[in-house]
Amino acid sequence: FSTPPGAITPFNRLDSRGRTKVRISMPAKGLNRGRVFVSSAMNPRAGNGLEFSVPAVIVIDPGHGGHTNLAGSSFNNSRTPNGVLGKTLTLDYDKELAKALTQRYEGQGLPSRVALTRDRDINLTVRNRAELARNLGADAFVTIHFNGFDGTKRGTLEVQRTPAKGNINVAEDTALANHLVTAVVNAFKVYDRGANKRAPVPYATSVSSNPYQGNTAAHHPVRHAYLGLDFIDNPIVGNLLTGSQRHQVRATVAGAMAQAIFNDIASHRG
């Protein structure tokens, strides 16, 4: 923030306790920065500068959970051949992602807020999940699932809400999802060369609803990516995610996703 050259410098009066208020108008985008210099009208050399920045806000949404189906959200849809539930793996991976994101921002001295829609084994309606992103002013909202089908399918994919289904910022959503899908596939390939990217699946899930997220045609700050990380009923994938290397695999995938989200938010600053 600065006063344009030639403009009149704004003045604020102090109250009886020597205090005043300054309102700064700037886009509330993650990592935006501003600077205010305050000086005395009686002595312009007596002043000080204040720098501030907008925190990056990321909401991570572990799919499913709990033991009861709710509106738009079943409690579990997949399991590995050895019986580990998809809802459990999703929560484990999302907690690891939250930790990786927090470490990334703190390591660079940047402000952030990372929130999970659920941090334990409970279910939420898809509307509740989307509205949390809206209420927290999220820059990025990432929904994560593990898929299951017939035990033979595999691959990482995006579940996409198309413009025909009312998505008003599909280009931004798709860009975020593509970065994340690529990051996940490359991370899995460190341990399994069969990891691959599948075609997007169009599906008008309510968690991608712009009204629930608070997006409008004029103002759509929330970018949403809905990912299926892989098909865990495939024995190769199931063994990879629950076997002896499970901790390393999870940390590698979470770190790759964290970097993709970090890069996305940085690219939208300003």
Side-chain angles (χ1 to χ4, degrees), residues 114-151:
V114 181
L116 291 161
T117 57
R118 67 180 183 95
D119 59 5
R120 57 194 186 280
D121 187 20
I122 60 172
N123 201 0
L124 301 165
T125 68
V126 288
R127 180 169 185 165
N128 289 154
R129 297 168 189 266
E131 288 182 343
L132 179 64
R134 178 198 68 192
N135 294 340
L136 294 182
D139 297 291
F141 174 39
V142 180
T143 296
I144 294 175
H145 288 245
F146 280 102
N147 296 324
F149 189 60
D150 63 0

PDB file of all heavy atoms in Angstrom, residues 114-151:
ATOM      1  N   VAL A 114      -3.961 -23.532   7.759  1.00  0.00           N
ATOM      2  CA  VAL A 114      -4.302 -24.808   7.136  1.00  0.00           C
ATOM      3  C   VAL A 114      -5.337 -25.495   8.014  1.00  0.00           C
ATOM      4  O   VAL A 114      -5.120 -25.693   9.211  1.00  0.00           O
ATOM      5  CB  VAL A 114      -3.062 -25.710   6.973  1.00  0.00           C
ATOM      6  CG1 VAL A 114      -3.449 -27.025   6.306  1.00  0.00           C
ATOM      7  CG2 VAL A 114      -1.979 -24.992   6.175  1.00  0.00           C
ATOM      8  N   ALA A 115      -6.485 -25.833   7.419  1.00  0.00           N
ATOM      9  CA  ALA A 115      -7.572 -26.427   8.188  1.00  0.00           C
ATOM     10  C   ALA A 115      -8.047 -27.706   7.514  1.00  0.00           C
ATOM     11  O   ALA A 115      -8.023 -27.840   6.291  1.00  0.00           O
ATOM     12  CB  ALA A 115      -8.735 -25.446   8.311  1.00  0.00           C
ATOM     13  N   LEU A 116      -8.486 -28.657   8.330  1.00  0.00           N
ATOM     14  CA  LEU A 116      -9.096 -29.890   7.854  1.00  0.00           C
ATOM     15  C   LEU A 116     -10.602 -29.813   8.101  1.00  0.00           C
ATOM     16  O   LEU A 116     -11.042 -29.348   9.155  1.00  0.00           O
ATOM     17  CB  LEU A 116      -8.535 -31.091   8.599  1.00  0.00           C
ATOM     18  CG  LEU A 116      -7.071 -31.467   8.336  1.00  0.00           C
ATOM     19  CD1 LEU A 116      -6.561 -32.352   9.456  1.00  0.00           C
ATOM     20  CD2 LEU A 116      -6.953 -32.187   7.007  1.00  0.00           C
ATOM     21  N   THR A 117     -11.404 -30.291   7.141  1.00  0.00           N
ATOM     22  CA  THR A 117     -12.840 -30.339   7.389  1.00  0.00           C
ATOM     23  C   THR A 117     -13.175 -31.355   8.470  1.00  0.00           C
ATOM     24  O   THR A 117     -14.178 -31.222   9.184  1.00  0.00           O
ATOM     25  CB  THR A 117     -13.627 -30.680   6.111  1.00  0.00           C
ATOM     26  OG1 THR A 117     -13.166 -31.934   5.592  1.00  0.00           O
ATOM     27  CG2 THR A 117     -13.462 -29.596   5.054  1.00  0.00           C
ATOM     28  N   ARG A 118     -12.366 -32.396   8.573  1.00  0.00           N
ATOM     29  CA  ARG A 118     -12.492 -33.342   9.686  1.00  0.00           C
ATOM     30  C   ARG A 118     -11.103 -33.815  10.090  1.00  0.00           C
ATOM     31  O   ARG A 118     -10.234 -34.009   9.232  1.00  0.00           O
ATOM     32  CB  ARG A 118     -13.384 -34.535   9.325  1.00  0.00           C
ATOM     33  CG  ARG A 118     -12.832 -35.470   8.255  1.00  0.00           C
ATOM     34  CD  ARG A 118     -13.791 -36.620   7.987  1.00  0.00           C
ATOM     35  NE  ARG A 118     -13.257 -37.580   7.017  1.00  0.00           N
ATOM     36  CZ  ARG A 118     -12.612 -38.691   7.329  1.00  0.00           C
ATOM     37  NH1 ARG A 118     -12.400 -39.006   8.606  1.00  0.00           N
ATOM     38  NH2 ARG A 118     -12.167 -39.514   6.383  1.00  0.00           N
ATOM     39  N   ASP A 119     -10.879 -33.968  11.384  1.00  0.00           N
ATOM     40  CA  ASP A 119      -9.585 -34.439  11.862  1.00  0.00           C
ATOM     41  C   ASP A 119      -9.706 -35.748  12.635  1.00  0.00           C
ATOM     42  O   ASP A 119      -8.785 -36.170  13.322  1.00  0.00           O
ATOM     43  CB  ASP A 119      -8.903 -33.378  12.727  1.00  0.00           C
ATOM     44  CG  ASP A 119      -9.734 -32.981  13.950  1.00  0.00           C
ATOM     45  OD1 ASP A 119     -10.808 -33.598  14.171  1.00  0.00           O
ATOM     46  OD2 ASP A 119      -9.322 -32.056  14.666  1.00  0.00           O
ATOM     47  N   ARG A 120     -10.859 -36.373  12.518  1.00  0.00           N
ATOM     48  CA  ARG A 120     -11.107 -37.661  13.168  1.00  0.00           C
ATOM     49  C   ARG A 120     -12.162 -38.414  12.353  1.00  0.00           C
ATOM     50  O   ARG A 120     -12.627 -37.915  11.328  1.00  0.00           O
ATOM     51  CB  ARG A 120     -11.566 -37.460  14.617  1.00  0.00           C
ATOM     52  CG  ARG A 120     -12.805 -36.602  14.773  1.00  0.00           C
ATOM     53  CD  ARG A 120     -12.992 -36.182  16.235  1.00  0.00           C
ATOM     54  NE  ARG A 120     -14.251 -35.467  16.454  1.00  0.00           N
ATOM     55  CZ  ARG A 120     -14.426 -34.184  16.170  1.00  0.00           C
ATOM     56  NH1 ARG A 120     -13.445 -33.474  15.645  1.00  0.00           N
ATOM     57  NH2 ARG A 120     -15.588 -33.611  16.424  1.00  0.00           N
ATOM     58  N   ASP A 121     -12.564 -39.562  12.828  1.00  0.00           N
ATOM     59  CA  ASP A 121     -13.460 -40.433  12.061  1.00  0.00           C
ATOM     60  C   ASP A 121     -14.918 -40.017  12.236  1.00  0.00           C
ATOM     61  O   ASP A 121     -15.702 -40.667  12.944  1.00  0.00           O
ATOM     62  CB  ASP A 121     -13.255 -41.892  12.488  1.00  0.00           C
ATOM     63  CG  ASP A 121     -14.035 -42.863  11.603  1.00  0.00           C
ATOM     64  OD1 ASP A 121     -14.395 -42.477  10.477  1.00  0.00           O
ATOM     65  OD2 ASP A 121     -14.275 -44.001  12.055  1.00  0.00           O
ATOM     66  N   ILE A 122     -15.283 -38.917  11.596  1.00  0.00           N
ATOM     67  CA  ILE A 122     -16.670 -38.454  11.569  1.00  0.00           C
ATOM     68  C   ILE A 122     -17.036 -38.146  10.122  1.00  0.00           C
ATOM     69  O   ILE A 122     -16.165 -37.955   9.274  1.00  0.00           O
ATOM     70  CB  ILE A 122     -16.883 -37.188  12.434  1.00  0.00           C
ATOM     71  CG1 ILE A 122     -15.997 -36.037  11.925  1.00  0.00           C
ATOM     72  CG2 ILE A 122     -16.615 -37.489  13.902  1.00  0.00           C
ATOM     73  CD1 ILE A 122     -16.286 -34.701  12.582  1.00  0.00           C
ATOM     74  N   ASN A 123     -18.326 -38.089   9.836  1.00  0.00           N
ATOM     75  CA  ASN A 123     -18.788 -37.715   8.513  1.00  0.00           C
ATOM     76  C   ASN A 123     -19.395 -36.325   8.569  1.00  0.00           C
ATOM     77  O   ASN A 123     -19.867 -35.874   9.620  1.00  0.00           O
ATOM     78  CB  ASN A 123     -19.826 -38.723   7.998  1.00  0.00           C
ATOM     79  CG  ASN A 123     -19.954 -38.699   6.480  1.00  0.00           C
ATOM     80  OD1 ASN A 123     -19.281 -37.933   5.790  1.00  0.00           O
ATOM     81  ND2 ASN A 123     -20.824 -39.547   5.955  1.00  0.00           N
ATOM     82  N   LEU A 124     -19.371 -35.632   7.440  1.00  0.00           N
ATOM     83  CA  LEU A 124     -19.964 -34.307   7.286  1.00  0.00           C
ATOM     84  C   LEU A 124     -20.720 -34.283   5.969  1.00  0.00           C
ATOM     85  O   LEU A 124     -20.332 -34.962   5.015  1.00  0.00           O
ATOM     86  CB  LEU A 124     -18.882 -33.216   7.263  1.00  0.00           C
ATOM     87  CG  LEU A 124     -17.969 -33.077   8.465  1.00  0.00           C
ATOM     88  CD1 LEU A 124     -16.767 -32.209   8.104  1.00  0.00           C
ATOM     89  CD2 LEU A 124     -18.717 -32.457   9.637  1.00  0.00           C
ATOM     90  N   THR A 125     -21.777 -33.481   5.899  1.00  0.00           N
ATOM     91  CA  THR A 125     -22.431 -33.315   4.613  1.00  0.00           C
ATOM     92  C   THR A 125     -21.488 -32.568   3.677  1.00  0.00           C
ATOM     93  O   THR A 125     -20.597 -31.822   4.129  1.00  0.00           O
ATOM     94  CB  THR A 125     -23.732 -32.508   4.739  1.00  0.00           C
ATOM     95  OG1 THR A 125     -23.429 -31.148   5.086  1.00  0.00           O
ATOM     96  CG2 THR A 125     -24.651 -33.111   5.799  1.00  0.00           C
ATOM     97  N   VAL A 126     -21.682 -32.755   2.379  1.00  0.00           N
ATOM     98  CA  VAL A 126     -20.809 -32.057   1.437  1.00  0.00           C
ATOM     99  C   VAL A 126     -21.014 -30.545   1.530  1.00  0.00           C
ATOM    100  O   VAL A 126     -20.073 -29.773   1.306  1.00  0.00           O
ATOM    101  CB  VAL A 126     -21.036 -32.555   0.000  1.00  0.00           C
ATOM    102  CG1 VAL A 126     -20.477 -33.948  -0.179  1.00  0.00           C
ATOM    103  CG2 VAL A 126     -22.503 -32.512  -0.395  1.00  0.00           C
ATOM    104  N   ARG A 127     -22.220 -30.134   1.875  1.00  0.00           N
ATOM    105  CA  ARG A 127     -22.461 -28.696   2.041  1.00  0.00           C
ATOM    106  C   ARG A 127     -21.648 -28.139   3.206  1.00  0.00           C
ATOM    107  O   ARG A 127     -21.049 -27.064   3.097  1.00  0.00           O
ATOM    108  CB  ARG A 127     -23.948 -28.427   2.264  1.00  0.00           C
ATOM    109  CG  ARG A 127     -24.257 -26.944   2.447  1.00  0.00           C
ATOM    110  CD  ARG A 127     -25.734 -26.655   2.397  1.00  0.00           C
ATOM    111  NE  ARG A 127     -25.981 -25.218   2.451  1.00  0.00           N
ATOM    112  CZ  ARG A 127     -27.146 -24.654   2.145  1.00  0.00           C
ATOM    113  NH1 ARG A 127     -28.164 -25.403   1.763  1.00  0.00           N
ATOM    114  NH2 ARG A 127     -27.293 -23.336   2.224  1.00  0.00           N
ATOM    115  N   ASN A 128     -21.614 -28.863   4.312  1.00  0.00           N
ATOM    116  CA  ASN A 128     -20.805 -28.420   5.454  1.00  0.00           C
ATOM    117  C   ASN A 128     -19.335 -28.286   5.078  1.00  0.00           C
ATOM    118  O   ASN A 128     -18.649 -27.350   5.509  1.00  0.00           O
ATOM    119  CB  ASN A 128     -20.921 -29.416   6.611  1.00  0.00           C
ATOM    120  CG  ASN A 128     -22.267 -29.402   7.287  1.00  0.00           C
ATOM    121  OD1 ASN A 128     -22.689 -30.399   7.866  1.00  0.00           O
ATOM    122  ND2 ASN A 128     -22.983 -28.293   7.220  1.00  0.00           N
ATOM    123  N   ARG A 129     -18.840 -29.206   4.270  1.00  0.00           N
ATOM    124  CA  ARG A 129     -17.437 -29.183   3.860  1.00  0.00           C
ATOM    125  C   ARG A 129     -17.143 -27.947   3.010  1.00  0.00           C
ATOM    126  O   ARG A 129     -16.158 -27.230   3.234  1.00  0.00           O
ATOM    127  CB  ARG A 129     -17.111 -30.460   3.078  1.00  0.00           C
ATOM    128  CG  ARG A 129     -17.261 -31.744   3.888  1.00  0.00           C
ATOM    129  CD  ARG A 129     -17.217 -32.984   3.001  1.00  0.00           C
ATOM    130  NE  ARG A 129     -17.563 -34.209   3.708  1.00  0.00           N
ATOM    131  CZ  ARG A 129     -16.713 -35.050   4.267  1.00  0.00           C
ATOM    132  NH1 ARG A 129     -15.413 -34.786   4.205  1.00  0.00           N
ATOM    133  NH2 ARG A 129     -17.109 -36.137   4.886  1.00  0.00           N
ATOM    134  N   ALA A 130     -18.000 -27.690   2.016  1.00  0.00           N
ATOM    135  CA  ALA A 130     -17.791 -26.543   1.136  1.00  0.00           C
ATOM    136  C   ALA A 130     -17.938 -25.226   1.881  1.00  0.00           C
ATOM    137  O   ALA A 130     -17.191 -24.275   1.641  1.00  0.00           O
ATOM    138  CB  ALA A 130     -18.775 -26.604  -0.031  1.00  0.00           C
ATOM    139  N   GLU A 131     -18.896 -25.178   2.800  1.00  0.00           N
ATOM    140  CA  GLU A 131     -19.131 -23.921   3.515  1.00  0.00           C
ATOM    141  C   GLU A 131     -17.997 -23.593   4.478  1.00  0.00           C
ATOM    142  O   GLU A 131     -17.765 -22.420   4.790  1.00  0.00           O
ATOM    143  CB  GLU A 131     -20.474 -23.969   4.229  1.00  0.00           C
ATOM    144  CG  GLU A 131     -21.648 -23.891   3.256  1.00  0.00           C
ATOM    145  CD  GLU A 131     -23.001 -23.892   3.926  1.00  0.00           C
ATOM    146  OE1 GLU A 131     -23.074 -24.276   5.128  1.00  0.00           O
ATOM    147  OE2 GLU A 131     -23.993 -23.517   3.259  1.00  0.00           O
ATOM    148  N   LEU A 132     -17.273 -24.598   4.957  1.00  0.00           N
ATOM    149  CA  LEU A 132     -16.103 -24.300   5.784  1.00  0.00           C
ATOM    150  C   LEU A 132     -15.061 -23.554   4.964  1.00  0.00           C
ATOM    151  O   LEU A 132     -14.454 -22.592   5.444  1.00  0.00           O
ATOM    152  CB  LEU A 132     -15.507 -25.589   6.351  1.00  0.00           C
ATOM    153  CG  LEU A 132     -14.256 -25.380   7.224  1.00  0.00           C
ATOM    154  CD1 LEU A 132     -14.597 -24.580   8.477  1.00  0.00           C
ATOM    155  CD2 LEU A 132     -13.632 -26.724   7.617  1.00  0.00           C
ATOM    156  N   ALA A 133     -14.850 -23.988   3.721  1.00  0.00           N
ATOM    157  CA  ALA A 133     -13.919 -23.282   2.837  1.00  0.00           C
ATOM    158  C   ALA A 133     -14.367 -21.830   2.636  1.00  0.00           C
ATOM    159  O   ALA A 133     -13.550 -20.910   2.646  1.00  0.00           O
ATOM    160  CB  ALA A 133     -13.807 -24.001   1.493  1.00  0.00           C
ATOM    161  N   ARG A 134     -15.653 -21.645   2.430  1.00  0.00           N
ATOM    162  CA  ARG A 134     -16.178 -20.287   2.268  1.00  0.00           C
ATOM    163  C   ARG A 134     -15.967 -19.456   3.532  1.00  0.00           C
ATOM    164  O   ARG A 134     -15.481 -18.320   3.473  1.00  0.00           O
ATOM    165  CB  ARG A 134     -17.680 -20.349   1.955  1.00  0.00           C
ATOM    166  CG  ARG A 134     -18.358 -18.991   1.813  1.00  0.00           C
ATOM    167  CD  ARG A 134     -19.866 -19.113   1.946  1.00  0.00           C
ATOM    168  NE  ARG A 134     -20.240 -19.488   3.309  1.00  0.00           N
ATOM    169  CZ  ARG A 134     -21.464 -19.891   3.668  1.00  0.00           C
ATOM    170  NH1 ARG A 134     -22.404 -20.021   2.747  1.00  0.00           N
ATOM    171  NH2 ARG A 134     -21.720 -20.198   4.925  1.00  0.00           N
ATOM    172  N   ASN A 135     -16.329 -20.009   4.682  1.00  0.00           N
ATOM    173  CA  ASN A 135     -16.282 -19.252   5.927  1.00  0.00           C
ATOM    174  C   ASN A 135     -14.863 -18.885   6.344  1.00  0.00           C
ATOM    175  O   ASN A 135     -14.651 -17.860   7.002  1.00  0.00           O
ATOM    176  CB  ASN A 135     -16.965 -20.044   7.044  1.00  0.00           C
ATOM    177  CG  ASN A 135     -18.446 -20.224   6.801  1.00  0.00           C
ATOM    178  OD1 ASN A 135     -19.061 -19.488   6.018  1.00  0.00           O
ATOM    179  ND2 ASN A 135     -19.054 -21.203   7.455  1.00  0.00           N
ATOM    180  N   LEU A 136     -13.893 -19.714   5.970  1.00  0.00           N
ATOM    181  CA  LEU A 136     -12.502 -19.424   6.317  1.00  0.00           C
ATOM    182  C   LEU A 136     -11.810 -18.568   5.260  1.00  0.00           C
ATOM    183  O   LEU A 136     -10.657 -18.187   5.442  1.00  0.00           O
ATOM    184  CB  LEU A 136     -11.721 -20.727   6.509  1.00  0.00           C
ATOM    185  CG  LEU A 136     -12.136 -21.598   7.700  1.00  0.00           C
ATOM    186  CD1 LEU A 136     -11.252 -22.839   7.796  1.00  0.00           C
ATOM    187  CD2 LEU A 136     -12.072 -20.817   9.013  1.00  0.00           C
ATOM    188  N   GLY A 137     -12.495 -18.270   4.163  1.00  0.00           N
ATOM    189  CA  GLY A 137     -11.880 -17.468   3.096  1.00  0.00           C
ATOM    190  C   GLY A 137     -10.757 -18.206   2.409  1.00  0.00           C
ATOM    191  O   GLY A 137      -9.687 -17.638   2.149  1.00  0.00           O
ATOM    192  N   ALA A 138     -10.992 -19.475   2.064  1.00  0.00           N
ATOM    193  CA  ALA A 138      -9.924 -20.312   1.507  1.00  0.00           C
ATOM    194  C   ALA A 138      -9.463 -19.812   0.145  1.00  0.00           C
ATOM    195  O   ALA A 138     -10.271 -19.393  -0.686  1.00  0.00           O
ATOM    196  CB  ALA A 138     -10.401 -21.751   1.388  1.00  0.00           C
ATOM    197  N   ASP A 139      -8.160 -19.870  -0.067  1.00  0.00           N
ATOM    198  CA  ASP A 139      -7.589 -19.686  -1.401  1.00  0.00           C
ATOM    199  C   ASP A 139      -7.697 -20.994  -2.177  1.00  0.00           C
ATOM    200  O   ASP A 139      -8.043 -21.000  -3.363  1.00  0.00           O
ATOM    201  CB  ASP A 139      -6.121 -19.278  -1.306  1.00  0.00           C
ATOM    202  CG  ASP A 139      -5.941 -17.945  -0.616  1.00  0.00           C
ATOM    203  OD1 ASP A 139      -6.324 -16.922  -1.199  1.00  0.00           O
ATOM    204  OD2 ASP A 139      -5.413 -17.936   0.510  1.00  0.00           O
ATOM    205  N   ALA A 140      -7.367 -22.090  -1.519  1.00  0.00           N
ATOM    206  CA  ALA A 140      -7.414 -23.417  -2.140  1.00  0.00           C
ATOM    207  C   ALA A 140      -8.202 -24.356  -1.236  1.00  0.00           C
ATOM    208  O   ALA A 140      -8.010 -24.382  -0.014  1.00  0.00           O
ATOM    209  CB  ALA A 140      -6.012 -23.957  -2.372  1.00  0.00           C
ATOM    210  N   PHE A 141      -9.094 -25.118  -1.852  1.00  0.00           N
ATOM    211  CA  PHE A 141      -9.955 -26.084  -1.166  1.00  0.00           C
ATOM    212  C   PHE A 141      -9.747 -27.414  -1.879  1.00  0.00           C
ATOM    213  O   PHE A 141     -10.049 -27.545  -3.064  1.00  0.00           O
ATOM    214  CB  PHE A 141     -11.399 -25.597  -1.257  1.00  0.00           C
ATOM    215  CG  PHE A 141     -12.447 -26.541  -0.725  1.00  0.00           C
ATOM    216  CD1 PHE A 141     -12.231 -27.298   0.417  1.00  0.00           C
ATOM    217  CD2 PHE A 141     -13.681 -26.650  -1.356  1.00  0.00           C
ATOM    218  CE1 PHE A 141     -13.204 -28.149   0.910  1.00  0.00           C
ATOM    219  CE2 PHE A 141     -14.663 -27.496  -0.883  1.00  0.00           C
ATOM    220  CZ  PHE A 141     -14.432 -28.247   0.257  1.00  0.00           C
ATOM    221  N   VAL A 142      -9.195 -28.392  -1.169  1.00  0.00           N
ATOM    222  CA  VAL A 142      -8.786 -29.643  -1.805  1.00  0.00           C
ATOM    223  C   VAL A 142      -9.510 -30.815  -1.151  1.00  0.00           C
ATOM    224  O   VAL A 142      -9.323 -31.088   0.037  1.00  0.00           O
ATOM    225  CB  VAL A 142      -7.259 -29.837  -1.709  1.00  0.00           C
ATOM    226  CG1 VAL A 142      -6.853 -31.146  -2.375  1.00  0.00           C
ATOM    227  CG2 VAL A 142      -6.529 -28.653  -2.348  1.00  0.00           C
ATOM    228  N   THR A 143     -10.355 -31.486  -1.940  1.00  0.00           N
ATOM    229  CA  THR A 143     -11.078 -32.672  -1.492  1.00  0.00           C
ATOM    230  C   THR A 143     -10.335 -33.914  -1.983  1.00  0.00           C
ATOM    231  O   THR A 143      -9.989 -34.013  -3.161  1.00  0.00           O
ATOM    232  CB  THR A 143     -12.512 -32.674  -2.051  1.00  0.00           C
ATOM    233  OG1 THR A 143     -13.227 -31.549  -1.523  1.00  0.00           O
ATOM    234  CG2 THR A 143     -13.243 -33.944  -1.679  1.00  0.00           C
ATOM    235  N   ILE A 144     -10.097 -34.859  -1.069  1.00  0.00           N
ATOM    236  CA  ILE A 144      -9.297 -36.036  -1.406  1.00  0.00           C
ATOM    237  C   ILE A 144     -10.055 -37.316  -1.051  1.00  0.00           C
ATOM    238  O   ILE A 144     -10.631 -37.440   0.036  1.00  0.00           O
ATOM    239  CB  ILE A 144      -7.943 -35.989  -0.679  1.00  0.00           C
ATOM    240  CG1 ILE A 144      -7.114 -34.809  -1.207  1.00  0.00           C
ATOM    241  CG2 ILE A 144      -7.181 -37.299  -0.847  1.00  0.00           C
ATOM    242  CD1 ILE A 144      -5.812 -34.598  -0.494  1.00  0.00           C
ATOM    243  N   HIS A 145     -10.061 -38.255  -2.000  1.00  0.00           N
ATOM    244  CA  HIS A 145     -10.684 -39.563  -1.815  1.00  0.00           C
ATOM    245  C   HIS A 145      -9.710 -40.644  -2.291  1.00  0.00           C
ATOM    246  O   HIS A 145      -8.785 -40.372  -3.040  1.00  0.00           O
ATOM    247  CB  HIS A 145     -11.960 -39.676  -2.660  1.00  0.00           C
ATOM    248  CG  HIS A 145     -13.105 -38.869  -2.147  1.00  0.00           C
ATOM    249  ND1 HIS A 145     -14.260 -39.437  -1.686  1.00  0.00           N
ATOM    250  CD2 HIS A 145     -13.279 -37.526  -2.034  1.00  0.00           C
ATOM    251  CE1 HIS A 145     -15.102 -38.485  -1.313  1.00  0.00           C
ATOM    252  NE2 HIS A 145     -14.525 -37.319  -1.517  1.00  0.00           N
ATOM    253  N   PHE A 146      -9.965 -41.863  -1.851  1.00  0.00           N
ATOM    254  CA  PHE A 146      -9.377 -43.047  -2.459  1.00  0.00           C
ATOM    255  C   PHE A 146     -10.513 -43.854  -3.080  1.00  0.00           C
ATOM    256  O   PHE A 146     -11.547 -44.060  -2.449  1.00  0.00           O
ATOM    257  CB  PHE A 146      -8.621 -43.900  -1.428  1.00  0.00           C
ATOM    258  CG  PHE A 146      -7.252 -43.376  -1.120  1.00  0.00           C
ATOM    259  CD1 PHE A 146      -7.017 -42.662   0.049  1.00  0.00           C
ATOM    260  CD2 PHE A 146      -6.194 -43.599  -1.985  1.00  0.00           C
ATOM    261  CE1 PHE A 146      -5.752 -42.175   0.339  1.00  0.00           C
ATOM    262  CE2 PHE A 146      -4.927 -43.123  -1.702  1.00  0.00           C
ATOM    263  CZ  PHE A 146      -4.701 -42.397  -0.545  1.00  0.00           C
ATOM    264  N   ASN A 147     -10.322 -44.298  -4.308  1.00  0.00           N
ATOM    265  CA  ASN A 147     -11.377 -44.966  -5.049  1.00  0.00           C
ATOM    266  C   ASN A 147     -11.301 -46.483  -4.907  1.00  0.00           C
ATOM    267  O   ASN A 147     -10.284 -47.049  -4.511  1.00  0.00           O
ATOM    268  CB  ASN A 147     -11.286 -44.609  -6.538  1.00  0.00           C
ATOM    269  CG  ASN A 147     -11.528 -43.127  -6.786  1.00  0.00           C
ATOM    270  OD1 ASN A 147     -12.340 -42.512  -6.111  1.00  0.00           O
ATOM    271  ND2 ASN A 147     -10.819 -42.564  -7.754  1.00  0.00           N
ATOM    272  N   GLY A 148     -12.407 -47.135  -5.288  1.00  0.00           N
ATOM    273  CA  GLY A 148     -12.471 -48.578  -5.415  1.00  0.00           C
ATOM    274  C   GLY A 148     -13.399 -48.921  -6.567  1.00  0.00           C
ATOM    275  O   GLY A 148     -14.350 -48.186  -6.841  1.00  0.00           O
ATOM    276  N   PHE A 149     -13.116 -50.043  -7.244  1.00  0.00           N
ATOM    277  CA  PHE A 149     -14.003 -50.432  -8.348  1.00  0.00           C
ATOM    278  C   PHE A 149     -14.086 -51.948  -8.440  1.00  0.00           C
ATOM    279  O   PHE A 149     -14.852 -52.563  -7.720  1.00  0.00           O
ATOM    280  CB  PHE A 149     -13.533 -49.802  -9.662  1.00  0.00           C
ATOM    281  CG  PHE A 149     -14.489 -49.966 -10.802  1.00  0.00           C
ATOM    282  CD1 PHE A 149     -15.773 -49.441 -10.708  1.00  0.00           C
ATOM    283  CD2 PHE A 149     -14.124 -50.659 -11.939  1.00  0.00           C
ATOM    284  CE1 PHE A 149     -16.678 -49.599 -11.739  1.00  0.00           C
ATOM    285  CE2 PHE A 149     -15.022 -50.832 -12.992  1.00  0.00           C
ATOM    286  CZ  PHE A 149     -16.301 -50.291 -12.889  1.00  0.00           C
ATOM    287  N   ASP A 150     -13.283 -52.548  -9.311  1.00  0.00           N
ATOM    288  CA  ASP A 150     -13.370 -54.001  -9.494  1.00  0.00           C
ATOM    289  C   ASP A 150     -12.054 -54.717  -9.202  1.00  0.00           C
ATOM    290  O   ASP A 150     -11.882 -55.884  -9.521  1.00  0.00           O
ATOM    291  CB  ASP A 150     -13.841 -54.334 -10.915  1.00  0.00           C
ATOM    292  CG  ASP A 150     -12.862 -53.870 -11.992  1.00  0.00           C
ATOM    293  OD1 ASP A 150     -11.810 -53.277 -11.634  1.00  0.00           O
ATOM    294  OD2 ASP A 150     -13.148 -54.072 -13.184  1.00  0.00           O
ATOM    295  N   GLY A 151     -11.121 -53.993  -8.577  1.00  0.00           N
ATOM    296  CA  GLY A 151      -9.841 -54.594  -8.220  1.00  0.00           C
ATOM    297  C   GLY A 151      -8.795 -54.559  -9.313  1.00  0.00           C
ATOM    298  O   GLY A 151      -7.652 -54.956  -9.074  1.00  0.00           O
TER     299      GLY A 151
END
